[in-house]
């Protein structure tokens, strides 16, 4: 009798584990490496969910100009998907150069619906970011272009439009990509580089930022993408106390109207 029970447990274990991972664990985000990109070997959500990935243009949109991105600049990215049969949505999105290398830095949204994945080289949903509005779902976040010339950058995404039946069947996996070349317009022009000046850097617990705008939103972000300090209306040259932050590298982002500029800060 004992051997018979052991046989049934061994038989059911793989099915139970598959349902656990597909129906529960990944509600909290992609396991990573499932964007459908060349750097991810084309892997998508179909590795865990039944079906064939379908290419769908227009799911990824950004405010990167038609002339291309500028190195070091930060841009808004939006991913949207529609499926009338979906009860939940999930995604993974990454950015790569022509050789499949991950490039740039993703910054998660303040609404708690996104998080970093795949060693901080991609972005995915959280458990709070899976519920559709009607038959659609949108995620918004930002991406900082690499500081050096890497040529054409392509954003790749895979979205799982899940029917929420608790299993892996009946889901639709949608893939999309969009490419941008590096802009040669404005590179080396002083106004681009002088959007704000930050000192001291490295810092031992406080900084001040000089900028040229009447209103500016200041955000300081750790390497996990979490906003650790934010001020809606930061006045130029006002002292900022960061003594409560751990030592390490942070991103300092200043946003005014339609412009966003990001710099790296080292706290020692």
């Amino acid at each position: 009798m004992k051997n018979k029970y052991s046989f049934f447990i061994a038989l059911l274990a793989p099915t139970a584990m598959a349902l656990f991972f597909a129906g529960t664990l990944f509600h909290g985000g992609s396991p990573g490496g499932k964007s459908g990109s060349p750097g991810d070997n084309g892997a998508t959500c179909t590795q865990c969910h039944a079906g064939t990935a379908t290419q769908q243009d227009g799911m990824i949109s950004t405010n990167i100009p038609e002339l291309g991105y500028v190195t070091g600049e930060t841009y808004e990215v939006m991913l949207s998907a529609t499926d009338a049969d979906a009860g939940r949505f999930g995604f993974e999105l990454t950015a790569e150069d022509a050789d499949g290398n991950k490039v740039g830095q993703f910054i998660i949204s303040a609404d708690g619906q996104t998080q970093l994945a795949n060693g901080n080289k991609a972005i995915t949903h959280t458990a709070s970011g899976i519920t559709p509005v009607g038959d659609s779902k949108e995620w918004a976040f930002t991406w900082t272009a690499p500081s050096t010339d890497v040529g054409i950058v392509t954003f790749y995404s895979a979205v799982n439009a899940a029917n929420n039946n608790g299993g892996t069947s009946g889901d639709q996996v949608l893939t999309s990509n969009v490419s941008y070349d590096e802009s040669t317009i404005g590179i080396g022009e002083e106004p681009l580089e002088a959007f704000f000046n930050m000192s001291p850097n490295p810092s031992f617990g406080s900084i001040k930022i000089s900028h040229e705008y009447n209103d500016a939103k200041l955000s300081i972000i750790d390497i996990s993408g979490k906003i650790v300090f934010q001020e809606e209306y930061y006045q130029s040259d006002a002292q900022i106390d960061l003594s409560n932050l751990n030592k390490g590298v942070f991103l300092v982002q200043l946003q005014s109207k339609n412009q966003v500029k990001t710099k790296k800060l080292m706290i020692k």
Side-chain angles (χ1 to χ4, degrees), residues 69-235:
Y69 67 90
V70 175
T71 55
E73 285 288 292
T74 298
Y75 299 98
E76 303 296 325
V77 182
M78 178 173 287
L79 176 64
S80 59
T82 300
D83 189 295
D85 297 323
R88 292 180 177 178
F89 285 89
F91 81 99
E92 183 177 342
L93 181 145
T94 193
E96 296 179 357
D97 64 16
D99 295 322
N101 300 308
K102 307 290 186 183
V103 293
Q105 173 69 52
F106 288 102
I107 302 171
I108 63 175
S109 54
D111 59 12
Q113 296 195 23
T114 58
Q115 61 184 317
L116 297 180
N118 198 13
N120 296 342
K121 297 175 182 178
I123 194 162
T124 185
H125 60 280
T126 66
S128 300
I130 60 176
T131 305
V133 177
D135 57 2
S136 300
K137 180 60 186 172
E138 294 182 346
W139 299 272
F141 41 90
T142 56
W143 174 80
T144 300
S147 57
T148 57
D149 178 9
V150 299
I152 295 175
V153 170
T154 302
F155 292 91
Y156 297 90
S157 70
V159 173
N160 182 27
N163 60 8
N164 201 24
N165 67 354
T168 62
S169 62
D171 299 339
Q172 299 295 321
V173 176
L174 310 173
T175 58
S176 192
N177 62 76
V178 62
S179 299
Y180 299 91
D181 203 348
E182 182 186 1
S183 174
T184 58
I185 304 299
I187 294 178
E189 294 181 0
E190 186 63 22
L192 267 176
E193 299 303 323
F195 180 79
F196 73 82
N197 294 315
M198 176 175 60
S199 64
N201 189 15
S203 167
F204 289 91
S206 67
I207 60 171
K208 68 176 182 178
I209 296 171
S210 301
H211 64 84
E212 54 188 7
Y213 294 91
N214 293 326
D215 60 329
K217 180 179 179 180
L218 173 67
S219 301
I220 298 178
I221 303 151
D222 67 17
I223 59 173
S224 72
K226 179 182 178 182
I227 297 174
V228 295
F229 178 90
Q230 192 166 71
E231 190 168 323
E232 288 291 334
Y233 300 100
Y234 173 73
Q235 300 299 315

Side-chain angles (χ1 to χ4, degrees), residues 22-96:
T24 303
L25 183 59
F26 297 157
H27 291 171
S30 168
K34 307 297 182 185
S35 70
S37 71
D40 291 335
N41 297 314
T44 67
C45 314
T46 57
Q47 267 61 45
C48 299
H49 296 261
T52 302
T54 301
Q55 177 74 15
Q56 189 172 99
D57 295 332
M59 293 201 307
I60 306 170
S61 60
T62 79
N63 65 345
I64 298 175
E66 291 184 7
L67 293 174
Y69 67 90
V70 175
T71 55
E73 285 288 292
T74 298
Y75 299 98
E76 303 296 325
V77 182
M78 178 173 287
L79 176 64
S80 59
T82 300
D83 189 295
D85 297 323
R88 292 180 177 178
F89 285 89
F91 81 99
E92 183 177 342
L93 181 145
T94 193
E96 296 179 357

